[in-house]
Amino acid sequence: MATKRAAALLLTSLAAVCQAQTVTLLNLLSRPDIQAPTVYITTYDTSLTAPGYIFMTPNSPAASNFQYAPYIYNNQGHLVWTGYKDLIPGLTVYDENVCYYKGKPHISMTQFVGQTGGGAGGIGSFSQIMDETYSQVLAMRPTGTFAGQELTQDLHEFNVLGTAGSSALVTSYITFAHNVTYPACPGSPSTAFTKTGLFSEVSTDGLNTTLFQWNAIDHVDPTDAFVCPGDNNVGTGNVASDGFDFFHINAIDKDDNGDYLVSGRHTSTVYKVAGNNNIEGLAPGSVIWRLGGKHNNFTMTSTVAGTPNLEFSFQHHARFRPSINGISLWDNANDNDTPASANSSSGMSIELSTANGIYTATLIENYVSPGAQLDSSQGSHQFLPNGNHFLGLGSYPYIYEQTSTGETVWYANWGPLPLQSYRAFKYPWVGKPSIKEIALFSYAQNCTAPAAFYASWNGATEVASWKYFTSSTKTGTFSLAATAAHNGTFETFTFAPYNLYVYAIAYDDLGNNLGQTPTVGTFVPGAALAPSCNEYSCPVGTVYSTAAQAECAAPVAPITTSSSTTTSSTVKTSTTSKGTSPVRKTTKATSSPSSSSSPAKKDPKTTPSPSPSSSPVKGPKTTPSPSPSSAPVKKSPKTTPSPSPSPSSSPIRKGPKATPTPSPSPSSSPVRKGPKATPTPSPSPSSSQIKKVPATSPSPSPSPSSSPAKKAHKLRSTHTPHTAHGPHTPHTTHHHTKSTPSPSSTPLVKANQEFIN
């Protein structure tokens, strides 16, 4: 049964790879340069889901229309940050993670060019660490040689160790002349070139000092492999450019005793390797034990109902887990060629005992996705601080979170096959990006219509509200026109009375000024464009150029804000007004202030237009807390919000589900739990844990009279479903769309050469 399913998946995957795959992109009016995939939430229990942000690196082995980049999303599925600008052209990013470096949270990742299925990285590949401002503080790669070849950075592992982050584990691949015969393979083939996997522990002090190094070929017999020369993505071994990858190193960890955990995908084995100061006195690099594979040292047992014994294969993301006296891993259970060892991939928690020389490995938890997919490559299994587990399906575009008892509390996807993300994680995070990432777009349907404001700050997590200030001249007196709470969406939207110029200021929850946008003009469509526009924006693909703009005179009457729920006060533009007006008397600005000059001010008495050259602004000088409670993720309000046209404005994105993946029948149990965790009965995929959304396309032109405040389908709290904020993408010929665009009209990102293993 499992073998037939693996074969079916292979055919499906190969068919998908042969064609370009476009996805639904976010339509961000303030940042039309961003081409980010839309994340769809199909299950979200706000009371049980852990706080934090989702870190992932979506890409595709086929060409696609989104930017291959590191991304951060929140629990509601809204974009928080994209680092596409930080990538070196020609390199693809993998393994975005949160690590500790010099005692503070940082982001780590690897930029890679080379053979993605498992091979030496190009000389330009490197790993990097970024701080809370998303600025690189360290770039590194392994050093040394093997068989006369320089080691390069591989994509599979960059594990920054400990709270000090004084060293990191990195992987490398080297192909060398080495003849091996494989009698277990059909025809007993011999290879002339073997590809081996290595790992290094390297200092992060900028010197790249090698502290430890281990090479699989020195400790593992190549015939231990469960793959054969010529199999899918493993190499033939006939020529140096196609060495046979017998081991496929893909995960490294280190425990408190200084020993290492090494995952060999093609041997279906996890190895414990002695470090420099092994407490048992073993020589550095010695294999202490093997879990799984042809030379397994353990008796394999299970306390999970329906699973009599522990069995895994072609695993990823192996980690020491002291809390369970064992390890965790992502069990792929197949590789698209070898018969599958299970009906679905899953995250495993494995308790280990080596007392008195008796080695026992017990499967105590098994976290299967709601769709029970059989994922052939990549994947991750993370323990969260609140006891939940966060899991990524690797070669499938699905991520999910389950409680310790196996209940799915969060489930999402970002499109159809063959989209993928090598790993996916959730962490608390405080982002304080450069002022260069702050943006604003202002639009009005005509010269007397209300203006629609869209403010954003790519990567900022501390913004609680925005205030919008308008004027009839770019350098004149600006008055408060509107205030809008930031509800976790990428763009904060509101209406205000029309004026020619506007800027916005971002505030934290204490009212501190975090940063100010440049002053922008309000775009009003000209006679030719206006008939196709609505009060929110113009059609997707519109280039908001001067040629398409109408000329509007400055308002002559005092402007009073409407009673919109997003406007916090009634403000007049008159600078001579006295009394109880919340805007103080202003004076004409003579110069453009730096928005970083007074980061903790409330509404200034004088609010002149900002200078585009303002220095970077950071948030309050507080040390970000690593605890989950510090994550600025809040439950969605249960009050009915005012209509918002932005696709990022609703607390939860609900949309068409991705193309169905070939999965087992929903009647099969998606979660297997053993008595050790005292589980509750496993819910079936047909139960309410999977919230299905009708596959309907969003309206290309939202009506202001439509009600976007309907209760989200089968969610435990009331949320506003997503609506498009007008079919529009300004200032670019890369047309964003809320429906799948035609490949002929959408620029495609260059495809990877193959699946990642």
Side-chain angles (χ1 to χ4, degrees), residues 248-324:
H248 197 90
I249 193 168
N250 64 18
I252 314 295
D253 199 15
K254 186 178 183 180
D255 67 10
D256 292 338
N257 293 323
D259 296 326
Y260 300 91
L261 195 67
V262 182
S263 171
R265 167 179 163 85
H266 289 166
T267 61
S268 292
T269 305
V270 176
Y271 306 80
K272 186 175 182 180
V273 172
N276 285 325
N277 300 297
N278 177 261
I279 59 176
E280 298 173 3
L282 297 176
S286 301
V287 175
I288 300 173
W289 49 248
R290 294 170 172 83
L291 176 65
K294 295 180 180 180
H295 302 286
N296 177 34
N297 297 123
F298 289 82
T299 299
M300 311 288 258
T301 65
S302 172
T303 60
V304 173
T307 306
N309 297 299
L310 167 64
E311 185 178 7
F312 62 86
S313 62
F314 301 100
Q315 73 287 336
H316 282 78
H317 196 228
R319 289 291 187 265
F320 285 117
R321 300 295 181 187
S323 63
I324 62 169

Side-chain angles (χ1 to χ4, degrees), residues 460-526:
T461 62
E462 296 182 305
V463 176
S465 64
W466 292 86
K467 291 185 179 181
Y468 302 86
F469 299 84
T470 62
S471 176
S472 59
T473 61
K474 190 170 185 179
T475 58
T477 300
F478 281 71
S479 298
L480 179 65
T483 299
H486 176 64
N487 63 351
T489 60
F490 188 83
E491 290 181 317
T492 301
F493 162 83
T494 191
F495 280 119
Y498 173 81
N499 214 331
L500 272 67
Y501 296 97
V502 60
Y503 67 83
I505 299 178
Y507 294 87
D508 66 14
D509 56 3
L510 297 178
N512 296 315
N513 179 334
L514 299 178
Q516 183 171 310
T517 71
T519 297
V520 300
T522 299
F523 178 88
V524 178

Side-chain angles (χ1 to χ4, degrees), residues 182 184-186 189 225-232 234-235 244:
Y182 295 88
C185 295
F226 286 95
V227 294
C228 293
D231 283 354
N232 186 38
V234 302
F244 175 58

Side-chain angles (χ1 to χ4, degrees), residues 70-95:
Y71 289 96
I72 301 176
Y73 289 83
N74 60 22
N75 275 336
Q76 292 76 30
H78 299 304
L79 179 67
V80 174
W81 176 71
T82 170
Y84 87 91
K85 287 185 175 180
D86 301 309
L87 299 186
I88 294 177
L91 273 64
T92 303
V93 65
Y94 299 93
D95 198 20

Side-chain angles (χ1 to χ4, degrees), residues 546-610:
T546 304
Q549 185 169 359
E551 293 293 333
C552 294
V556 293
I559 300 176
T560 302
T561 56
S562 67
S563 58
S564 168
T565 57
T566 57
T567 303
S568 65
S569 60
T570 300
V571 181
K572 295 185 178 181
T573 59
S574 171
T575 59
T576 60
S577 174
K578 297 182 180 181
T580 60
S581 171
V583 174
R584 301 177 180 89
K585 183 176 179 179
T586 60
T587 57
K588 190 169 184 179
T590 56
S591 61
S592 299
S594 166
S595 52
S596 64
S597 61
S598 56
K601 290 183 179 180
K602 307 294 192 283
D603 295 339
K605 288 186 178 181
T606 302
T607 53
S609 169

